Amino acid sequence: ERNRNISAPNATWTASEWIITRPANVADMDPANHVFGTDTQAPSWSAGYPMAFHVEDTRANLGVKMDESGTAYYVVVSDGSDAPTADQVKAGVDYGSVTVALSGSVEVTSPEVPFSANLTGAAANTTYDIYVVAEDEAGNLQTTPAKVTITTTAARSLTITSPAANTEFNLGETVTLNWTSANLDSLLFAVRNYANGALIFPTEEVIDASAGTFQFTIPHTAEIGNYDFLLLDRYDTSFKAVQGPIQLVDNRQLSWVKPQNGDTVYVGDTLRMIWTSQNVDSVLIGGYIGQGGSDDHYFMITGDLDHYDTSTFRPIPASSGEFNMYLDPNNMSGSLTIDSLFIFDASDMRFKAVVHPVYILDTLPMRITYSMPSFGMTDFMPNANIDCSFSCDSIVKGTGNLYVK
């Protein structure tokens, strides 16, 4: 009921005043004293649910999805058994003359989101009826269970035929795994370390069981030792085939033939780098120049000469056994010492051979490596400065004369 006109409000915001006259008991307006409606509706299954999938010889998956959060109850009985009531499914025990082979429940924590249960203990080549009933969080149970019928497959089989146990593989080698299988859809590949029992999945790839073959490369970072190779049923990793032990070894060899420690080469000559290798595909050559071998003096002969950047490296086939580099006088500024000259396995730079030091001596006469004006320049500005750089170990700074003509 309004008892004041608001047509002429004032600055104190008191121009309008309302008085509640109904209901007489103001406490009746408290929401806590009112029930605005109760959930009496049982949940409904989403289209296509419940359903069975990944049915195998002794197991299957039951999938459920419904329009409310709650719980899905199920019982598994022999094909053709009398249908249970909703309460009997929820109880999950034998009813009448029917023996329940398996029972359980699935918590459905979100509506319209699929959830699943793993059903185990079935017999191969057998038909079963699965009865499922849903209940929401308010306790509303469906009145009629849904029925899903499955027939398990014949027995699964999986055997690794090669490589044989005690086969030896080198780091970096490509392995071909072969097997025979029956009644399997897809597999996972794993290795097991004999030393600590750790199970490692080298790849996330799902393997088609019917392919019968799979190739993978042993990483150079793997630890040498004995391993098992395993193939596992993707849907039931307890079902697997094991082959082992498989021996991982490192038979790589890489050594310098030329140069050797303390060798000397001369500016204007060719630095011949000769090596021998075994079980190495390609190599990189680099090293350190300067006292202490700081990173500022790191170089890669077979890559970018100015930057240590693996994206620019150009590996050399290890089988070539030799790489030559002309020590161009025009690109060198005197003698230098290569503190360490490395040859790396390009696939695993932790594996390397080294010689140190290698001396590069400049015995050529003094030569101009840079000049301004440049040779042959005809339009040099009068009174401009002349700038020159020289290359010769025999130059003593502050002595000698430069003749310009």
Side-chain angles (χ1 to χ4, degrees):
E1 172 182 305
R2 188 177 71 179
N3 70 350
R4 184 168 297 183
N5 194 327
I6 64 171
S7 61
N10 60 40
T12 61
W13 291 17
T14 59
S16 180
E17 186 177 272
W18 295 78
I19 297 175
I20 299 174
T21 60
R22 297 288 189 277
N25 184 359
V26 178
D28 286 345
M29 299 185 65
D30 188 345
N33 298 324
H34 290 265
V35 177
F36 293 99
T38 58
D39 179 4
T40 60
Q41 184 70 37
S44 298
W45 295 115
S46 301
Y49 289 86
M51 61 178 292
F53 59 100
H54 301 328
V55 179
E56 296 181 312
D57 54 353
T58 61
R59 58 163 309 282
N61 288 102
L62 173 66
V64 296
K65 185 167 73 168
M66 56 196 198
D67 63 353
E68 296 184 69
S69 298
T71 305
Y73 301 93
Y74 62 87
V75 294
V76 181
V77 297
S78 297
D79 179 40
S81 298
D82 292 337
T85 65
D87 288 332
Q88 288 171 332
V89 173
K90 182 176 179 178
V93 296
D94 296 346
Y95 58 92
S97 61
V98 178
T99 299
V100 173
L102 182 69
S103 65
S105 62
V106 182
E107 293 300 317
V108 178
T109 56
S110 299
E112 300 300 344
V113 174
F115 293 86
S116 65
N118 188 25
L119 310 181
T120 60
N125 283 323
T126 303
T127 301
Y128 294 90
D129 292 332
I130 306 170
Y131 288 94
V132 193
V133 67
E135 183 180 52
D136 63 18
E137 293 176 338
N140 299 306
L141 184 69
Q142 292 176 333
T143 56
T144 304
K147 179 182 176 182
V148 178
T149 299
I150 65 169
T151 300
T152 57
T153 68
R156 290 171 288 176
S157 66
L158 180 61
T159 303
I160 297 175
T161 56
S162 67
N166 297 308
T167 301
E168 184 178 283
F169 292 102
N170 193 54
L171 299 184
E173 189 171 351
T174 297
V175 179
T176 300
L177 193 68
N178 296 302
W179 66 88
T180 59
S181 67
N183 301 307
L184 288 166
D185 291 330
S186 50
L187 305 171
L188 300 174
F189 170 67
V191 297
R192 183 168 56 207
N193 190 321
Y194 260 58
N196 55 27
L199 193 65
I200 305 165
F201 289 87
T203 175
E204 296 180 353
E205 181 177 352
V206 176
I207 305 168
D208 182 357
S210 65
T213 187
F214 174 71
Q215 285 192 329
F216 63 96
T217 300
I218 300 172
H220 289 97
T221 54
E223 296 181 5
I224 61 174
N226 290 333
Y227 291 81
D228 281 331
F229 287 172
L230 295 87
L231 287 173
L232 307 97
D233 182 348
R234 179 190 178 191
Y235 309 121
D236 175 17
T237 55
S238 65
F239 188 86
K240 55 185 176 291
V242 181
Q243 186 69 291
I246 302 295
Q247 301 171 0
L248 298 192
V249 297
D250 190 353
N251 288 331
R252 291 175 295 175
Q253 294 181 11
L254 189 59
S255 59
W256 282 114
V257 175
K258 186 179 181 66
Q260 291 292 301
N261 295 340
D263 279 1
T264 299
V265 291
Y266 298 92
V267 174
D269 290 344
T270 296
L271 174 59
R272 296 186 64 200
M273 290 163 281
I274 303 173
W275 63 89
T276 60
S277 66
Q278 182 177 330
N279 295 315
V280 176
D281 292 329
S282 55
V283 297
L284 295 166
I285 300 173
Y288 294 107
I289 298 175
Q291 184 64 34
S294 68
D295 287 343
D296 289 340
H297 298 89
Y298 188 90
F299 67 93
M300 292 298 293
I301 291 175
T302 54
D304 187 323
L305 301 182
D306 299 316
H307 304 93
Y308 178 59
D309 177 3
T310 56
S311 66
T312 65
F313 289 177
R314 298 188 298 273
I316 303 167
S319 58
S320 65
E322 183 171 352
F323 183 81
N324 297 322
M325 185 176 71
Y326 174 56
L327 302 178
D328 189 348
N330 295 320
N331 294 329
M332 304 190 67
S333 57
S335 300
L336 58 86
T337 298
I338 302 176
D339 296 317
S340 300
L341 183 64
F342 295 98
I343 184 167
F344 304 94
D345 180 344
S347 299
D348 176 20
M349 294 181 67
R350 300 173 305 168
F351 190 81
K352 58 186 179 293
V354 60
V355 292
H356 53 83
V358 175
Y359 302 105
I360 298 178
L361 295 183
D362 185 359
T363 59
L364 297 176
M366 184 185 73
R367 56 198 180 277
I368 297 175
T369 57
Y370 168 81
S371 69
M372 178 55 67
S374 60
F375 295 119
M377 191 172 182
T378 59
D379 56 350
F380 192 64
M381 296 292 294
N383 300 318
N385 291 330
I386 296 176
D387 185 15
C388 293
S389 296
F390 305 93
S391 177
C392 182
D393 288 350
S394 60
I395 292 179
V396 179
K397 185 177 291 187
T399 66
N401 297 300
L402 173 64
Y403 297 95
V404 179
K405 62 178 180 178

